[in-house]
Amino acid sequence: MKSLWNDAEAAQFPGDLGQRIYTSRLLGRDPALVLHGGGNTSVKIAERDLVGREETILYVKGSGGDLAKIDEAGFSPVRMERLLALAELPALPDPVMVNELRTHMTRASAPTPSVEAILHAILPFKFVDHTHADAVVTLTNSPDAAARVREVYGDELVVIPYVMPGFDLARACAERFAAEAKPKTIGMILMNHGIFSFGATARESYERMIALVGRAEAHLDAKGAWSLPVPPAAAHAAPFPRREVTSLRGAISRAAGFPMVLAVHDDARSLAFARRPDVAVVSQQGPATPQHAVYTKRVPMIARDVRAYAAAYRDYLDTYLGSEASSRMDAAPRILLDPQWGLCAFGRSPNEARLAADMYRHDIDIISRASAHGTYRAAPPAAIAQAEYEYGGFAVPGHD
Ligand code: ZN
């Protein structure tokens, strides 16, 4: 992983917010760091308000924004004083937190701040970068993740066990950071989720991110778990069986309760994964990060039996969310791994099917590398069910 910093380009982005925009776009350019609106960044800037009072404002990525294309309007300016006061509360339900974030901005037209705003606020650094880097997620999705993270990073990073993003995660980070940060701490690792880096300048924070992620890549590479074997050229089984695919799409639409679009990816990598002898084990542990489940569901379907899949999925939703929350969600698969067809992605629209496929292809790399390194282990099903519910928009908006 290489720094994309370029002095001439950077000079076109004056000021702290300008520099923040520039390096946010650099992060957004690399899908191995952030995917489809994932990740977020911030900068803390002292300003004078209209009546002459000085205050510090956290400019944090707005919810729904994309780092690759972010500009000034994509950042939500939130008053630091309020964020730090909120961080002291013992508990804060997420809908109340979102209301607080929205009502303490200095620009009424700004987007809703990222749900990770309080977490950015409590970190005592001017610039904060957060990504869901594939290499880091690979390292943390294993039963002995804590030991591996220590081996790679020593005490340069504070390690946070998986907690769903929102107020509880901000609290957990505030406590751990205060207790564990050392003078040489330059970041924080969130199990089954991603990584934070900090710095005094945009460049320092960004380049620390690149260096930290690079160390995870180098570690996996040294263990022979980074360069994936190149699969043999796709040997597509048969001409595409239109009738079978149509009836499958119908069955999945019926299970979902709404029409579904299907996209088939029969590239060599997808086919090779669908044909792995251990696909029934490695694909059924859960996605690389719980948030992916919104588009991919917790597990792909691996046989063309929609009814059995939906019944098992309904059981999982009922078990971890209760029947009332479960009843608001559908139990139809979003991904089918088929040894003949490869990776089939389903969604309510072509865009949803594309997002599901993109996320699952990252999961394929992460699962393949983690399995080459040891054992792949996703976050527990309860955490994934909760993320599916909340990120899926069944609770509060803004979980990204
Ligand atoms: Zn995140």
Side-chain angles (χ1 to χ4, degrees), residues 184-232:
K184 64 174 178 175
T185 299
I186 54 169
M188 207 161 61
I189 205 154
L190 277 56
M191 294 304 200
N192 310 101
H193 176 171
I195 180 165
F196 280 79
S197 63
F198 333 122
T201 64
R203 182 176 186 173
E204 182 177 56
S205 186
Y206 166 72
E207 292 196 329
R208 281 176 172 171
M209 173 64 71
I210 300 303
L212 289 168
V213 174
R215 277 156 70 178
E217 288 182 359
H219 173 86
L220 292 166
D221 198 30
K223 305 273 175 187
W226 183 251
S227 303
L228 296 170
V230 181

Side-chain angles (χ1 to χ4, degrees), residues 138-148 191-192 285 370-371 373-378:
T138 304
L139 203 62
T140 67
N141 277 18
S142 95
D144 53 355
R148 283 167 188 208
M191 294 304 200
N192 310 101
Q285 307 299 313
S371 304
H373 188 215
T375 305
Y376 173 75
R377 163 92 54 87

Side-chain angles (χ1 to χ4, degrees), residues 40 116 130 132 193:
N40 43 57
E116 283 164 320
H130 167 51
H132 303 151
H193 176 171

Side-chain angles (χ1 to χ4, degrees), residues 126-397:
K126 187 171 177 78
F127 289 86
V128 175
D129 292 41
H130 167 51
T131 71
H132 303 151
D134 283 358
V136 171
V137 176
T138 304
L139 203 62
T140 67
N141 277 18
S142 95
D144 53 355
R148 283 167 188 208
V149 166
R150 280 282 160 251
E151 187 186 339
V152 177
Y153 297 112
D155 56 5
E156 285 171 76
L157 299 184
V158 169
V159 179
I160 313 287
Y162 182 81
V163 178
M164 165 108 182
F167 186 73
D168 294 344
L169 177 61
R171 284 270 340 163
C173 292
E175 280 162 21
R176 284 241 175 182
F177 191 82
E180 292 177 21
K182 306 271 185 322
K184 64 174 178 175
T185 299
I186 54 169
M188 207 161 61
I189 205 154
L190 277 56
M191 294 304 200
N192 310 101
H193 176 171
I195 180 165
F196 280 79
S197 63
F198 333 122
T201 64
R203 182 176 186 173
E204 182 177 56
S205 186
Y206 166 72
E207 292 196 329
R208 281 176 172 171
M209 173 64 71
I210 300 303
L212 289 168
V213 174
R215 277 156 70 178
E217 288 182 359
H219 173 86
L220 292 166
D221 198 30
K223 305 273 175 187
W226 183 251
S227 303
L228 296 170
V230 181
H236 197 242
F240 205 62
R242 202 170 290 271
R243 195 178 298 165
E244 266 178 82
V245 171
T246 306
S247 88
L248 178 72
R249 196 178 67 79
I252 288 184
S253 301
R254 280 191 297 281
F258 42 79
M260 293 276 247
V261 172
L262 160 64
V264 180
H265 301 265
D266 58 358
D267 56 285
R269 197 159 57 107
S270 301
L271 272 169
F273 190 74
R275 289 172 181 172
R276 275 179 75 120
D278 60 354
V279 68
V281 177
V282 294
S283 75
Q284 301 297 299
Q285 307 299 313
T289 185
Q291 194 179 352
H292 283 188
V294 173
Y295 291 101
T296 65
K297 294 284 184 182
R298 189 176 87 83
V299 290
M301 181 163 79
I302 49 169
R304 296 177 209 162
D305 186 343
V306 179
R307 230 176 257 217
Y309 179 96
Y313 212 83
R314 182 58 67 199
D315 273 352
Y316 146 78
L317 293 175
D318 286 348
T319 303
Y320 295 105
L321 297 172
S323 54
E324 203 221 297
S326 163
S327 69
R328 289 181 221 164
M329 304 163 79
D330 75 87
R334 295 296 188 275
I335 300 290
L336 163 67
L337 293 173
D338 190 282
Q340 250 184 307
W341 302 341
L343 167 67
C344 305
F346 298 85
R348 259 172 284 219
S349 61
N351 192 46
E352 264 193 25
R354 184 179 65 88
L355 287 176
D358 274 5
M359 287 185 189
Y360 203 77
R361 282 143 72 94
H362 277 260
D363 285 351
I364 287 179
D365 287 354
I366 290 165
I367 293 168
S368 304
R369 287 181 173 134
S371 304
H373 188 215
T375 305
Y376 173 75
R377 163 92 54 87
I384 298 170
Q386 191 199 3
E388 216 177 310
Y389 181 71
E390 299 206 11
Y391 281 110
F394 299 99
V396 292

